[in-house]
Amino acid sequence: MFCSIQLYLPLILFSHKRMQASESFSAKAWQRLKKNKGAMAGLIVILLAVVAAIFAYFLGNDQTPNADRQIVEIQAQKPGFKQTFLKVKKQREVGHTSWVSHLLFGKEDAFVLLPINSYTDLGDSVAVEKYIDEGMQEKQVYPKSALEKNYISRKTFWFGTDKFGRDILSRLILGIRVSLAVGLVTVIISLLIGVTLGAVAGYKGGRTDAAIMWLINVVWSIPTLLLVFGLTLTLGKGFWQIFIAVGLTMWVTIARIVRGQVMAISQLEYVQAAKALGLRDSRIIIRHILPNVMGPVMVIAAANFASAIIIEAGLSFLGIGIQPPTPSWGLMLKENYNFIITHNPALALIPGLAIMILVLAFNLLGNGLRDALDVKG
């Protein structure tokens, strides 16, 4: 009886102290993080990006699926371009779209936007000067029965239009979804694999540790981009394939960090007491060890988030990542990079700056977490 109490005592005392220290440490860490201006700036940018990604279809001019409204007459226009349009009904009827479906997938237009220079109301019809190109126009007449009720629309393309006449701003906002999604899926996959293998290797040791470390070293030795290329070609091109391919390449850093932390914590008195009491290994790892290694893991996760965004953009730029017409910042660079040396370099510079800002935000947040959580190394 006395021996049993002696074994339980370190575990009970540690659990009680950990609950008290956890709240205190979290509060202190948050206070330190708030004092880091760079980290807070990064956090604000990330939060704004999340909000923009959620309501992407309500923030831009183009609310069609994938922001893929192509108006070839106004292709490759500079930022701030303004144009008047005539809204001509489509010949087929477009069904009703629910608010949720609109939020998630966009809403198909029930009309065609016809760029015009001027219009004249003739009573039962409308005469317009259709815009064809700079200095070129054509006179056309449309009966009002073929037009929408509010048949005139004026739009400002704040970031200009691409070579297909699509609104750059709308596609840029919608592209945030792809960047955040690939980062989130990558972090989840890397955490599941890295934390599991690292914890098992560090806790078990021996042959199990040797086998897992062999796997880690093999994956570590392969260049990340080369491994992603191989997985992408194996899984195929597509939206979900690129998420999985990137996620399967970024778990090794987490595994190595977790292994080292678990090996050190496993030697502490309260863990030895838990082992002596016969608690299951899974319970000891999940409840008593992993909560104490989450600081370094959070820092690595933020860095992996930023790396995943860059890798996805690079793959899409090379044509083996996200496929058209899904808007991706890397794909936007690919479609418009030739405009850098022509009259409209903004078409390529804007998505490039967006990538830079979001990646910088995650790196700043990661650095702030490292300082706030007092992570060494």
Side-chain angles (χ1 to χ4, degrees):
M1 178 72 177
F2 181 72
C3 293
S4 178
I5 293 175
Q6 279 186 317
L7 289 174
Y8 268 113
L9 191 57
L11 190 60
I12 294 172
L13 289 175
F14 177 80
S15 298
H16 179 67
K17 289 180 180 179
R18 190 183 67 184
M19 291 177 63
Q20 292 180 327
S22 178
E23 296 180 2
S24 175
F25 179 77
S26 298
K28 290 180 179 177
W30 173 242
Q31 291 297 326
R32 287 194 293 266
L33 186 65
K34 287 197 298 184
K35 292 178 181 178
N36 190 320
K37 294 181 180 179
M40 293 309 296
L43 181 60
I44 291 172
V45 170
I46 292 168
L47 292 177
L48 290 176
V50 170
V51 173
I54 294 172
F55 298 100
Y57 280 113
F58 296 97
L59 297 176
N61 281 329
D62 190 349
Q63 300 184 8
T64 62
N66 293 316
D68 195 36
R69 183 194 289 147
Q70 301 185 17
I71 309 174
V72 294
E73 293 90 347
I74 58 170
Q75 61 180 341
Q77 297 293 338
K78 293 183 178 181
F81 171 73
K82 297 181 180 180
Q83 181 63 50
T84 303
F85 295 94
L86 183 70
K87 298 164 71 172
V88 182
K89 292 180 181 178
K90 289 184 176 178
Q91 294 182 352
R92 62 180 179 83
E93 185 176 352
V94 177
H96 173 72
T97 303
S98 67
W99 186 86
V100 174
S101 180
H102 187 182
L103 177 72
L104 297 176
F105 309 110
K107 179 181 180 182
E108 183 182 357
D109 287 335
F111 50 83
V112 176
L113 287 178
L114 194 73
I116 61 175
N117 288 331
S118 61
Y119 69 98
T120 304
D121 192 332
L122 302 178
D124 60 347
S125 62
V126 178
V128 300
E129 295 290 344
K130 180 185 176 183
Y131 174 85
I132 298 177
D133 202 350
E134 192 70 32
M136 296 179 62
Q137 58 186 24
E138 178 184 2
K139 186 172 182 178
Q140 296 181 350
V141 178
Y142 291 88
K144 286 189 176 180
S145 59
L147 305 178
E148 289 286 300
K149 183 177 181 181
N150 299 317
Y151 52 83
I152 297 297
S153 175
R154 294 179 177 85
K155 295 184 179 296
T156 300
F157 298 86
W158 297 105
F159 286 176
T161 60
D162 64 11
K163 64 179 182 180
F164 300 106
R166 298 175 297 194
D167 180 31
I168 289 288
L169 179 58
S170 299
R171 290 182 64 80
L172 191 77
I173 296 173
L174 200 56
I176 299 175
R177 287 189 177 185
V178 173
S179 295
L180 293 181
V182 72
L184 180 62
V185 174
T186 295
V187 167
I188 291 174
I189 294 175
S190 63
L191 285 176
L192 288 176
I193 299 175
V195 171
T196 301
L197 293 181
V200 171
Y203 185 80
K204 290 292 187 181
R207 292 183 178 180
T208 302
D209 181 32
I212 292 175
M213 282 306 298
W214 176 85
L215 176 62
I216 290 174
N217 289 330
V218 168
V219 177
W220 189 278
S221 66
I222 304 174
T224 302
L225 281 179
L226 184 60
L227 186 57
V228 172
F229 288 157
L231 289 171
T232 303
L233 294 175
T234 302
L235 297 173
K237 302 176 182 179
F239 192 78
W240 292 105
Q241 289 88 333
I242 190 65
F243 292 177
I244 296 172
V246 176
L248 290 176
T249 62
M250 305 189 72
W251 57 270
V252 288
T253 304
I254 293 177
R256 290 173 67 95
I257 294 293
V258 171
R259 173 183 174 270
Q261 294 286 320
V262 171
M263 287 181 69
I265 294 175
S266 296
Q267 305 304 316
L268 297 180
E269 185 180 13
Y270 77 94
V271 177
Q272 296 299 322
K275 289 180 180 179
L277 289 169
L279 298 183
R280 294 192 308 273
D281 291 341
S282 58
R283 180 180 177 182
I284 295 173
I285 293 173
I286 294 173
R287 294 192 59 182
H288 302 296
I289 295 180
L290 287 185
N292 295 289
V293 304
M294 284 298 105
V297 169
M298 289 174 62
V299 175
I300 297 297
N304 281 354
F305 213 117
S307 298
I309 294 172
I310 295 177
I311 292 174
E312 180 277 319
L315 292 175
S316 297
F317 180 81
L318 295 173
I320 59 175
I322 304 299
Q323 299 299 301
T326 304
S328 161
W329 291 346
L331 188 59
M332 293 172 68
L333 278 172
K334 178 189 176 183
E335 292 172 344
N336 301 303
Y337 75 94
N338 57 317
F339 288 100
I340 291 180
I341 58 174
T342 60
H343 68 290
N344 198 358
L347 295 182
L349 294 178
I350 288 173
L353 286 172
I355 295 171
M356 183 192 73
I357 291 171
L358 192 56
V359 169
L360 179 62
F362 276 103
N363 283 329
L364 289 173
L365 179 60
N367 292 338
L369 286 173
R370 181 195 61 201
D371 297 336
L373 298 174
D374 195 25
V375 176
K376 306 299 182 183

